[in-house]
């Protein structure tokens, strides 16, 4: 018998997604690195991913936002706050959220970017919930996750380049009283060097030392992304079930009472191990990694959109969105759709 705690939470009023049109299949990767469809499928579950053919990241985010706004049946001018989760922004400044605001014509709203790598959508959702709960000026939040991993993936590194894709998704959120909601968010900076990318120059005209300070981080090849795949794998298989369990505990619900768990889509084997550790069947796990690969913070809401479109997630369902990624970061959010 469950003892679900009712609290102030969120109403997901509208959802939307946008993927770039260009698709790269495993066979396309076999032409550029020493790999095969068989290896990628067996070790990751990925078959295809969408890759930007020049569309900027904010373009994908804006199209996803417009779809979510139409789905919510509101006007852009109704939005009080735009939060954009991204670790691959088009510019350092202006922010992605300001660019998306300009594109969709929601001027006047607050706009803020967050970078929690692949955990960004969960962090953004919880941030939105807290704004909605505590600020009388914020009634409608647009939460967007937009990523173009193709910007920093090293396409000569076969162990990482095959994993990532580009894409965006968005939720329109409002406050909801007396509902199911809980969150568990955390980070472990001691794993900072396991997933890293630097797109900023470290030189400046005044600098006279050519040596890097030893920050206990990988020496990065230009701006490219590096990862310690095995370390990330170990971290993810523990962090994912742990975050779900902690969020469940706070909500007074057990994992098998959830209708669907939407995990960050990094590797299907991570998801299978996590399901086993949680004692839930894979039917409960929403997995579309075969279509999109790892789109970082966008992977959870993109999978959510597909699950809704295909009737796997319905209104009233108890949902857990669970992410993990660079930082290292991890988070789970439970709510009623
Ligand atoms: N194609 C063919 N062979 C490949 C390959 C590829 N794309 N990538 C790696 N290999 C090779 C390795 O070189 C290694 O060869 P060796 O035994 O001759 O040295 C072999 O396959 C096994 O490599 P290993 O690293 O043990 O593979 P793995 O089963 O651990 O899979 C990852 C590698 C990267 C797919 C896996 O570790 C992973 O998914 N880690 C988590 C990454 C992640 O989720 N990152 C984002 C987090 S948000």
């Amino acid at each position: 018998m469950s003892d679900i705690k009712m609290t102030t939470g969120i109403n997901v009023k509208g959802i939307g997604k946008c993927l770039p049109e260009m698709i790269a299949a495993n066979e396309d990767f076999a032409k550029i690195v020493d790999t095969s469809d068989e290896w990628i499928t067996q070790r990751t579950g990925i078959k295809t991913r969408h890759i930007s053919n020049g569309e900027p990241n904010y373009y994908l985010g804006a199209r996803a936002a417009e779809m979510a706004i139409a789905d919510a049946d509101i006007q852009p001018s109704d939005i009080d706050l735009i939060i954009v989760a991204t670790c691959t922004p088009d510019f350092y400044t202006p922010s992605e959220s300001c660019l998306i605001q300009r594109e969709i014509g929601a001027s006047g709203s607050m706009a803020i970017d967050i970078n929690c790598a692949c955990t960004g959508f969960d962090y953004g959702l919880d941030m939105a919930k807290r704004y909605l709960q505590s600020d009388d000026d914020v009634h409608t939040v647009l939460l967007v996750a937009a990523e173009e991993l193709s910007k920093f993936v090293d396409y000569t590194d076969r162990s990482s380049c095959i994993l990532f894709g580009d894409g965006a998704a968005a939720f329109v959120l409002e406050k909801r009283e007396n509902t199911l909601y809980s969150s568990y968010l955390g980070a472990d900076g001691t794993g900072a060097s396991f997933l890293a990318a630097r797109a900023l120059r470290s030189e400046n005209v005044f600098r006279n030392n050519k040596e890097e300070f030893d920050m206990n981080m990988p020496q990065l090849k230009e701006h490219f992304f590096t990862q310690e795949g095995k370390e990330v794998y170990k971290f993810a298989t523990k962090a994912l079930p742990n975050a779900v369990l902690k969020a469940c505990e706070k909500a007074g619900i057990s994992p098998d009472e959830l209708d669907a768990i939407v995990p960050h889509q990094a590797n299907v084997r991570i998801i299978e191990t996590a399901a086993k550790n949680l004692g839930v069947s894979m039917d409960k796990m929403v997995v579309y990694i075969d279509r999109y690969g790892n789109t970082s913070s966008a992977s959870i809401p993109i999978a959510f959109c597909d699950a809704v479109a295909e009737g796997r997630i319905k209104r009233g369902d108890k949902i857990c969105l669970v992410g993990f990624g660079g930082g290292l970061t991890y988070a789970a959010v439970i709510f009623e759709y």
Side-chain angles (χ1 to χ4, degrees), residues 248-302:
C248 278
E249 250 170 57
K250 285 170 83 173
I253 191 171
S254 73
D256 54 76
E257 286 175 291
L258 294 166
D259 295 296
I261 298 172
V262 189
H264 171 46
Q265 320 267 307
N267 185 325
V268 75
R269 292 189 294 136
I270 293 174
I271 299 171
E272 284 164 357
T273 307
K276 210 163 128 198
N277 292 345
L278 277 169
V280 300
S281 92
M282 274 298 282
D283 296 347
K284 224 183 251 304
M285 309 300 270
V286 172
V287 185
Y288 291 108
I289 192 170
D290 55 325
R291 299 175 188 176
Y292 308 118
N294 180 344
T295 55
S296 192
S297 67
S299 88
I300 291 173
I302 289 172

Side-chain angles (χ1 to χ4, degrees), residues 34-36 39-40 43-44 118 158-159 162-164 195 227 229-230 232-233 264 266-267 269-270 294 324-325:
D34 182 11
T35 191
S36 63
W39 193 95
I40 301 171
R43 301 290 184 110
T44 71
C118 306
R158 67 174 180 175
S159 67
I162 49 112
L163 298 172
F164 298 100
L195 288 157
Q227 81 172 1
K230 280 191 196 320
V232 177
Y233 194 94
H264 171 46
N267 185 325
R269 292 189 294 136
I270 293 174
N294 180 344
F324 58 86

